[in-house]
Amino acid sequence: MQRPRFEAYSAFNLIAVALILIAATSTAIPFAAPAGAAAKGKLVLAWHAGFASRWLDPQEHDGTATPDNFFTAIHDALIKNQGTELYDHPALAEHFSVAPDAKSATFTLRRGTRFHNGDPVTPQDVKFSYENYRGAKADVFKKKTERVDIVDDRTIRFVFKEPFLDFAILFGTANVAGPAWVVPEKYYKQVGPDAFKQKPIGAGPYKLVRHEPGVRVELEAFDGYYRPVNAKQLVMIAVPEAATRVAMLERGEADIVYNVPGELITKVGKLPGVTLAPVLSGSFFIEFAGFQDPKNPFHDKRVREAVSLAVDRRAMNQAETAGMGKPTGNWINNDVQYAIEWPEFPRNVDRAKQLLREAGYPNGFDVDWVTPLPTFYSRGERLIAQLREVGIRGRLQTMERGIYFQRLQAGLKEFPGTQIILHGVRIAGSWSFWYEGHFKCGGFNSRDRICVKDLDGKFDQYERSTNPAERKKLAEEIQRGILENYYLVPVFRHAFVNAIGPRVVLQKWQDVFPTITTGYAYPWEDIKVKDQ
Amino acid sequence: MSQFIIRRVLYSVVTLLILSATIFLIVRLTGDPVALMAEASARPEDLERIRHQWGLDRSWPVQYVTFMQNAFTGELGKSFNYRLPVSELYFQRLPNSLTLGLAATLISLLIGIPAGIISAVKVNSGWDTVAKGVALLGLSIPGFWLGLVLILVFSVWLRWLPTSGSGDWRHVVMPALALGWYFAASMLRLTRSSMLEVLGSEYIKLARLKGLPDFVVIAMHAFKNALIPVFTLAGVNMVVMVNAAVIIEVIFAWPGIGRLLYEGIFQRDFPLVQGVVVMAGFMIVVINLLVDILYAIIDPRIRLTR
Amino acid sequence: MATIPANTRLAAERTWTGRLAALVKAAREAPLAVVVILGGLILVAALADLIAPYDPTLPVKGAEIFAPPFWMEGGSLATPLGTDFQGRDILSRLIYGARVSLIVGLMGTLVAGGIGTALGIVSGYLGGWVDQIIMRVTDAWLALPAIVFAIFLAAMIGPSMWNIIVILGAVYWTRYARVIRGEVLSLRERDFVKLAEIAGASKLRVIKKHILPNVLNTATVLASLTVGVVIIAEASLSFLGVGVPPPQPAWGLMLSEARPTLMAGQWWLTVFPGACILLIVLATQLFGDWLRVRLDPQTRNL
């Protein structure tokens, strides 16, 4: 079996290459055909959120991590993230290659793959899915793609107008964009996009049996899938209240529950037969909205550094996620492209006070508002208590989620005076996706709150560059620039803690949550349940 | 009589117009749905595209007129989040909500009516206090806490009932109890005052004079007449339970209309919130209309008062 | 114009001081337990600054998070009812919480009662199209869920305790409007009102002198029953994430924030605030019930 010849391509850093190599040796992809027939048992998953119907349609991927739960069950992609493979796990494609000039990419389809309605997966379906894609980052693909060529009945080539260095990573990371996910053209056109979301048909390991919009999705093993499917039935239920989810686990009504809140982690870990799965997820960091104004106390680098010295990252991690998160140096997680290693920041209250004295605040100062990402209010409260020890006095501002994002997107005028925002983001794919939306002047979520001109200049240079070595260098310079100047103060990586019940067969939690780029439990077909 | 009915129907239409305009405005003032539909690296063009897709780029008056035109044909718009007509979603969830609402109404009556009778008949006795205490307890415990305590006791400790979701009757017991108990207090009050009223009437005094035993007087005569207002209120309460049992449905993961409303509000799903609220309003208006007409038939003087 | 003693109620109850005196007298006759609970709570709320051992919004220095009450293993008399997930003293939070809950309960009731009574009087006394409009709005309002208002106001002016008061007032006025209007409709036909009108009193004067004093009893009874409902609604808004903002020590917020711990066995985080809510609501409800019988036995359908 052929693996993609990626090692030769120097655009990807050593870590990624190493991971791919490990994956290549450990992941066997068998060809056994009607594998779903042997499936047995029922797997019930209790979710922390209500289901949006768009999550069942990769054509309208919203760019968040949640929909890949459904994509990886119902649909399949040419390449995707799976296990330790970040974006290039060959799924519907048997192998692929990107031209050395990065101006085209060629995929060879696996033989004999079918959609749930029995139709074969054809290059035409791939072409349709790509060209009709209108979700997150669709404009990037549109802008850069010249045409899509069907070379033969198994081969398809994407031809770009200019070198498209990020193509594979954008294409294959399920929690960033969705054009790699193949939908059946005929069926999609026949029922239309809205009806497709009610009753989607895909080429994934599970086919839809019943769909109650927003609350329940029942799936059954698809025996035409090219990998063995273990559990016969997969049921996903939306259970918004955390305490109820834990009760379901305790009573055996659910086999996997997502998002166990901090207070319950210790207790759930002690339940008989239950395994905790603490997956490292989004990074939390402190942002000083409007610090560029010389009158703002945070304009002084020493004051920003004092904030960093005042934060007790370990106490925060211990109290909020039972110590299962990770106090961080770099807020860019190390599973994304070009992330640099950075040591954990120290805590030193005396040094923080001294820096504040030097900066002219011997008695500290008042912060108008400390606004945490909803609904992590208690993290904001802890931050306030910690800052108070060095004399920075803040008040908590809580916002409902929709209002918070609207205010972020409106920019500095919604955050006047002296402000601290404790923001949290799950960064996926490439560090640059984060920079573009959350740091750059004019970015969708950053607007005019940060605006560091020389870093933005470097970012533009990065975007224009087609030289991988130069891009890597710029990426690292920018991250270092942010960290050394405390433009942001990283706090910790949040642990998205899930729990697995006794019916699921496992040696360690990573057997059920093997995919490192996500907090969720897939590939679904690999999860085994004991037969009752 | 027909004039009375026409006037009442007109009032109902006006009420619904006020309601629809209010909810239309209020949801639009709660913020921008596009802020939640787009991802972090969205560009202005993406936002414009989404706005256009959902008709949010049109002026409010135009949007309102469209909404009302559709509403008159029974179509309440398409949900942003579920991509389904709101009416279809509503009727998908309605059976679940009706089941819960009916069961909860039954429980509120089962607690409220006996408690009301006891405290009307045995005023200021120990029984009165106990009955009142039981009925008022449901009103005094926040629903989400009561719900979780029920789950803890009956599902986790005793293992008698499933924690959540819908299915057979066992799934209904706890949410119906938590919801119905809250409304028991209002049933108690109304039962008691209307019992007292009936017990004080000439007609009951006559029955007592005739030497009928207390039990018979209460059971046969007083109770029967006192029930009419109680059932009227139970009807209105049920509409609220069917359409707005947000907290109980969230705690028990009950797939009803309350959760539709809950998620609609937090997702800024304008058509969905508007639709659910207008449907609730419609039900309340219809119930009130029926009650008014019924009363007018029973007591012709009412027709002249307004 | 001479006072017109046509009202059936005692003249002493017609003046404000007289009314207050009557209320105090009534309170003395109220069930003892209820008076003790309500009086105690008011006292605690008023003296919170003096009796609370710690700042309710900050962690206690040196205390663990989730420390149990003093009589349990690992508990300490320094934090007699234990600490919460931030290491704050639960007793201090309960004490200050009495203040927040009472303010929210009373002010919310006042806003609701104010709006409802005013609209009810105007509607009932003026009649005609004014009455029609007000009553149609009242009908329409019943279908608007509180949480929609909550998000709306949070978006407009940001979350705060006063915001919650406005929301709850805006939700619970309809009942007052309906009941008061009904009373005013019958008052309007009474002789003393007719006489005043014939004597040339302005509408405003008639409302002030004759209508308002006579609906106040009903409004009081309604209010006493609303306080508890408002306190429960405050807790519900917290559960939905749009209630009194943390770190304020509101009982409803404490209960809602700590609800997962119920499943983890740290019962003291929920049982104490839950019990406080239960007590105050039960007490105000019983007081209201009793007040109704005492003040106005004829009142129906409250």
Side-chain angles (χ1 to χ4, degrees):
Chain A
M1 202 194 68
Q2 218 189 333
R3 300 276 314 162
R5 301 286 89 212
F6 242 66
E7 297 86 305
Y9 189 42
S10 62
F12 298 90
N13 69 25
L14 285 171
I15 297 171
V17 171
L19 288 172
I20 292 164
L21 284 172
I22 294 164
T25 50
S26 62
T27 319
I29 300 163
F31 269 91
K40 56 185 198 291
K42 179 176 169 185
L43 180 72
V44 180
L45 177 80
W47 270 65
H48 55 302
F51 306 150
S53 295
R54 64 170 181 273
W55 294 345
L56 303 187
D57 180 4
Q59 291 277 292
E60 289 181 35
H61 191 331
D62 61 12
T64 64
T66 328
D68 51 8
N69 277 288
F70 296 97
F71 295 175
T72 51
I74 299 170
H75 302 287
D76 211 349
L78 292 183
I79 53 170
K80 60 186 178 185
N81 49 320
Q82 179 160 316
T84 50
E85 291 161 295
L86 300 175
Y87 56 86
D88 56 352
H89 172 81
L92 289 177
E94 195 175 276
H95 58 85
F96 79 104
S97 62
V98 176
D101 63 357
K103 287 185 76 171
S104 74
T106 310
F107 293 77
T108 308
L109 292 189
R110 190 179 294 279
R111 256 180 244 276
T113 52
R114 287 184 182 280
F115 291 111
H116 300 155
N117 60 1
D119 291 349
V121 179
T122 65
Q124 180 54 37
D125 292 313
V126 176
K127 183 176 156 81
F128 167 78
S129 302
Y130 187 85
E131 288 176 341
N132 192 47
Y133 175 69
R134 23 190 215 293
K137 301 253 185 310
D139 59 328
V140 178
F141 289 100
K142 284 235 153 56
K143 207 171 71 199
K144 298 211 173 184
T145 305
E146 168 91 32
R147 61 179 193 279
V148 182
D149 292 338
I150 296 176
V151 181
D152 60 39
D153 64 345
R154 279 182 65 205
T155 314
I156 186 155
R157 180 174 298 131
F158 302 92
V159 181
F160 311 122
K161 291 176 186 153
E162 55 189 270
F164 192 173
L165 290 175
D166 287 335
F167 172 75
I169 214 169
L170 265 177
F171 192 67
T173 312
N175 42 13
V176 174
W181 295 80
V182 185
V183 297
E185 178 182 14
K186 214 173 105 209
Y187 177 72
Y188 199 92
K189 279 181 170 162
Q190 178 198 332
V191 297
D194 287 334
F196 184 82
K197 288 171 188 60
Q198 312 311 323
K199 208 181 173 314
I201 285 179
Y206 283 92
K207 61 181 185 215
L208 187 80
V209 179
R210 197 158 144 257
H211 180 203
E212 283 177 57
V215 291
R216 194 178 174 97
V217 174
E218 286 179 25
L219 305 155
E220 199 181 80
F222 171 48
D223 54 18
Y225 197 58
Y226 60 89
R227 296 186 70 207
V229 183
N230 283 301
K232 180 84 182 157
Q233 284 171 288
L234 172 59
V235 181
M236 300 186 186
I237 313 170
V239 184
E241 174 59 33
T244 310
R245 287 197 298 278
V246 169
M248 287 176 79
L249 182 77
E250 202 167 348
R251 209 175 169 275
E253 291 173 16
D255 299 302
I256 299 177
V257 303
Y258 279 168
N259 199 6
V260 176
E263 299 93 331
L264 285 177
I265 292 173
T266 317
K267 181 239 158 86
V268 170
K270 285 187 197 139
L271 289 175
V274 168
T275 313
L276 286 175
V279 190
L280 285 181
S281 173
S283 290
F284 278 75
F285 50 85
I286 296 167
E287 184 197 306
F288 308 101
F291 75 98
Q292 298 282 33
D293 181 352
K295 290 195 291 286
N296 191 312
F298 296 122
H299 186 71
D300 192 322
K301 182 191 154 189
R302 287 169 296 191
V303 177
R304 300 197 298 271
E305 189 180 347
V307 167
S308 176
L309 288 165
V311 175
D312 189 344
R313 294 171 174 82
R314 295 189 172 191
M316 180 83 88
N317 180 33
Q318 190 58 44
E320 289 289 332
T321 59
M324 291 176 158
K326 191 173 163 225
T328 41
N330 194 352
W331 77 104
I332 305 250
N333 28 282
N334 57 10
D335 55 293
V336 304
Q337 193 190 21
Y338 299 144
I340 59 170
E341 290 293 320
W342 200 263
E344 184 185 331
F345 286 92
R347 176 170 204 257
N348 187 337
V349 173
D350 295 331
R351 171 91 184 116
K353 284 182 179 160
Q354 191 198 331
L355 282 174
L356 285 178
R357 269 196 303 278
E358 286 168 17
Y361 300 101
N363 302 314
F365 58 92
D366 291 331
V367 174
D368 290 315
W369 294 112
V370 174
T371 313
L373 171 74
T375 54
F376 299 100
Y377 304 133
S378 66
R379 292 175 192 190
E381 291 179 62
R382 282 183 222 284
L383 178 64
I384 288 171
Q386 290 169 5
L387 292 181
R388 194 171 281 259
E389 283 186 49
V390 301
I392 300 174
R393 297 168 296 273
R395 286 183 300 161
L396 186 76
Q397 172 168 252
T398 60
M399 285 183 196
E400 185 271 329
R401 198 175 161 80
I403 296 167
Y404 174 79
F405 281 105
Q406 205 182 349
R407 298 246 160 108
L408 277 189
Q409 291 154 19
L412 201 48
K413 68 176 194 301
E414 296 288 353
F415 295 91
T418 314
Q419 299 263 0
I420 283 180
I421 300 175
L422 179 60
H423 199 24
V425 178
R426 174 73 172 100
I427 304 162
S430 161
W431 78 283
S432 64
F433 304 158
W434 173 86
Y435 191 95
E436 195 186 4
H438 292 274
F439 197 88
K440 194 170 180 269
C441 207
F444 185 55
N445 274 333
S446 48
R447 290 294 155 206
D448 52 351
R449 289 194 314 279
I450 301 173
C451 291
V452 184
K453 286 223 166 55
D454 64 317
L455 294 184
D456 283 356
K458 282 184 179 161
F459 185 73
D460 291 339
Q461 208 181 330
Y462 168 92
E463 290 277 83
R464 282 194 306 271
S465 169
T466 54
N467 175 353
E470 187 194 19
R471 276 159 55 102
K472 184 166 189 292
K473 187 174 142 274
L474 285 166
E476 295 182 357
E477 270 175 35
I478 294 173
Q479 287 173 69
R480 212 170 288 125
I482 294 173
L483 290 164
E484 280 168 355
N485 289 298
Y486 298 93
Y487 291 139
L488 293 177
V489 172
V491 179
F492 79 127
R493 256 189 99 182
H494 170 70
F496 183 73
V497 181
N498 310 295
I500 308 159
R503 278 196 301 267
V504 179
V505 181
L506 55 83
Q507 311 278 309
K508 54 188 189 309
W509 66 263
Q510 285 89 346
D511 295 346
V512 181
F513 288 80
T515 306
I516 58 167
T517 48
T518 182
Y520 301 117
Y522 59 73
W524 300 108
E525 63 270 21
D526 287 354
I527 301 177
K528 283 196 190 100
V529 282
K530 289 176 195 145
D531 208 12
Q532 292 106 38
Chain B
M1 186 71 191
S2 64
Q3 217 192 340
F4 170 82
I5 293 177
I6 290 169
R7 204 168 53 214
R8 288 269 119 199
V9 170
L10 265 177
Y11 289 172
S12 306
V13 172
V14 173
T15 301
L16 283 177
L17 281 176
I18 294 172
L19 177 65
S20 63
T22 313
I23 190 67
F24 178 89
L25 273 180
I26 283 184
V27 292
R28 269 161 189 75
L29 292 170
T30 58
D32 186 0
V34 180
L36 289 165
M37 281 195 258
E39 36 100 31
S41 58
R43 292 164 176 75
E45 310 90 76
D46 294 330
L47 305 187
E48 275 320 301
R49 180 175 47 84
I50 299 175
R51 277 205 182 90
H52 183 74
Q53 184 187 352
W54 294 106
L56 293 164
D57 51 351
R58 299 170 303 167
S59 72
W60 286 5
V62 174
Q63 288 184 44
Y64 181 67
V65 170
T66 318
F67 167 55
M68 287 313 287
Q69 275 171 347
N70 291 336
F72 273 109
T73 62
E75 189 41 69
L76 295 161
K78 198 201 289 172
S79 153
F80 297 164
N81 209 30
Y82 301 105
R83 309 294 170 94
L84 275 177
V86 171
S87 50
E88 194 181 326
L89 271 169
Y90 187 89
F91 287 108
Q92 248 174 27
R93 300 279 183 100
L94 187 62
N96 290 331
S97 276
L98 276 178
T99 309
L100 178 59
L102 268 171
T105 305
L106 207 66
I107 285 174
S108 74
L109 291 171
L110 281 178
I111 300 174
I113 292 181
I117 295 172
I118 291 171
S119 63
V121 177
K122 309 238 176 233
V123 181
N124 289 336
S125 69
W127 285 108
D128 178 18
T129 314
V130 171
K132 259 196 285 196
V134 169
L136 287 179
L137 207 59
L139 185 83
S140 311
I141 307 173
F144 63 89
W145 193 48
L146 177 60
L148 288 177
V149 170
L150 289 176
I151 291 177
L152 187 66
V153 173
F154 293 104
S155 296
V156 178
W157 290 349
L158 298 174
R159 302 193 160 252
W160 288 352
L161 296 166
T163 56
S164 59
S166 64
D168 56 21
W169 64 272
R170 288 174 306 149
H171 290 87
V172 191
V173 176
M174 292 193 296
L177 181 63
L179 188 58
W181 203 357
Y182 179 85
F183 287 91
S186 62
M187 293 292 139
L188 156 101
R189 294 218 172 85
L190 198 57
T191 308
R192 185 180 51 185
S193 59
S194 91
M195 278 291 283
L196 286 174
E197 188 177 353
V198 176
L199 282 173
S201 69
E202 300 298 317
Y203 156 74
I204 293 294
K205 282 181 191 154
L206 196 71
R208 280 198 162 130
L209 276 180
K210 280 201 297 193
L212 289 174
D214 255 14
F215 171 75
V216 175
V217 173
I218 291 162
M220 302 304 291
H221 300 286
F223 182 55
K224 206 174 67 193
N225 287 310
L227 274 188
I228 297 170
V230 175
F231 279 114
T232 310
L233 181 65
V236 175
N237 280 352
M238 201 175 113
V239 175
V240 175
M241 291 190 224
V242 166
N243 289 291
V246 175
I247 288 172
I248 296 300
E249 291 190 5
V250 167
I251 286 286
F252 291 100
W254 184 263
I257 293 163
R259 260 173 86 194
L260 212 51
L261 182 68
Y262 169 84
E263 267 143 29
I265 288 166
F266 286 106
Q267 295 294 332
R268 306 294 190 275
D269 196 335
F270 295 170
L272 188 59
V273 177
Q274 283 166 197
V276 171
V277 168
V278 167
M279 285 303 288
F282 183 73
M283 283 191 200
I284 290 178
V285 161
V286 167
I287 285 211
N288 281 336
L289 189 66
L290 290 179
V291 167
D292 280 354
I293 293 172
L294 196 73
Y295 278 16
I297 292 169
I298 296 170
D299 182 358
R301 280 173 305 174
I302 290 176
R303 280 178 238 167
L304 303 172
T305 53
R306 274 171 285 169
Chain C
M1 200 191 74
T3 41
I4 296 153
N7 189 1
T8 47
R9 291 191 184 103
L10 294 173
E13 285 193 15
R14 296 281 307 276
T15 65
W16 287 103
T17 45
R19 181 173 298 278
L20 199 68
L23 213 86
V24 171
K25 184 164 169 284
R28 279 217 304 265
E29 294 162 17
L32 187 68
V34 170
V35 174
V36 168
I37 292 172
L38 290 181
L41 276 175
I42 292 170
L43 212 65
V44 165
L47 301 178
D49 301 310
L50 299 176
I51 53 179
Y54 302 100
D55 183 329
T57 61
L58 288 176
V60 176
K61 276 218 161 55
E64 300 272 307
I65 59 172
F66 294 127
F70 71 89
W71 63 85
M72 286 171 66
E73 202 186 315
S76 141
L77 272 172
T79 52
L81 297 184
T83 61
D84 70 0
F85 54 96
Q86 300 273 3
R88 293 174 299 208
D89 179 39
I90 290 183
L91 178 64
S92 304
R93 285 180 71 73
L94 288 176
I95 290 171
Y96 276 95
R99 184 181 282 180
V100 176
S101 289
L102 277 178
I103 291 178
V104 170
L106 293 175
M107 294 301 290
T109 302
L110 205 67
V111 173
I115 300 173
T117 308
L119 287 176
I121 290 177
V122 169
S123 183
Y125 187 65
L126 295 183
W129 61 270
V130 177
D131 180 31
Q132 284 306 326
I133 289 179
I134 292 176
M135 280 301 107
R136 296 294 79 77
V137 171
T138 314
D139 287 345
W141 222 256
L142 272 177
L144 286 176
I147 177 184
V148 179
F149 273 112
I151 301 258
F152 160 67
L153 277 182
M156 298 270 91
I157 37 184
S160 74
M161 185 179 77
W162 297 102
N163 210 336
I164 301 306
I165 289 169
V166 173
I167 292 163
L168 295 171
V171 170
Y172 288 106
W173 62 267
T174 52
R175 205 152 153 238
Y176 291 82
R178 286 166 170 283
V179 174
I180 301 288
R181 172 180 173 271
E183 292 235 320
V184 174
L185 279 181
S186 76
L187 278 172
R188 201 172 65 175
E189 305 302 321
R190 298 277 285 276
D191 290 344
F192 64 95
V193 175
K194 295 259 180 224
L195 274 171
E197 280 168 351
I198 290 164
S202 70
K203 285 194 161 109
L204 198 67
R205 187 178 164 81
V206 173
I207 288 177
K208 248 167 64 182
K209 282 276 161 193
H210 303 290
I211 305 279
L212 187 61
N214 282 300
V215 296
L216 269 182
N217 272 351
T218 305
T220 313
V221 173
L222 268 178
S224 65
L225 295 175
T226 314
V227 173
V229 175
V230 166
I231 289 172
I232 293 290
E234 182 263 307
S236 306
L237 287 179
S238 286
F239 170 77
L240 295 169
V242 287
V244 174
Q248 285 209 58
W251 291 341
L253 177 68
M254 290 171 73
L255 188 58
S256 163
E257 278 184 330
R259 67 186 185 274
T261 61
L262 191 67
M263 297 285 162
Q266 288 128 344
W267 56 269
W268 56 95
L269 266 81
T270 50
V271 167
F272 292 129
C276 285
I277 293 177
L278 196 147
L279 266 184
I280 189 173
V281 177
L282 211 53
T284 54
Q285 290 285 315
L286 287 170
F287 182 70
D289 257 357
W290 172 85
L291 203 64
R292 179 170 62 152
V293 177
R294 169 75 177 56
L295 283 183
D296 198 357
Q298 285 126 45
T299 312
R300 305 284 173 231
N301 305 350
L302 288 187

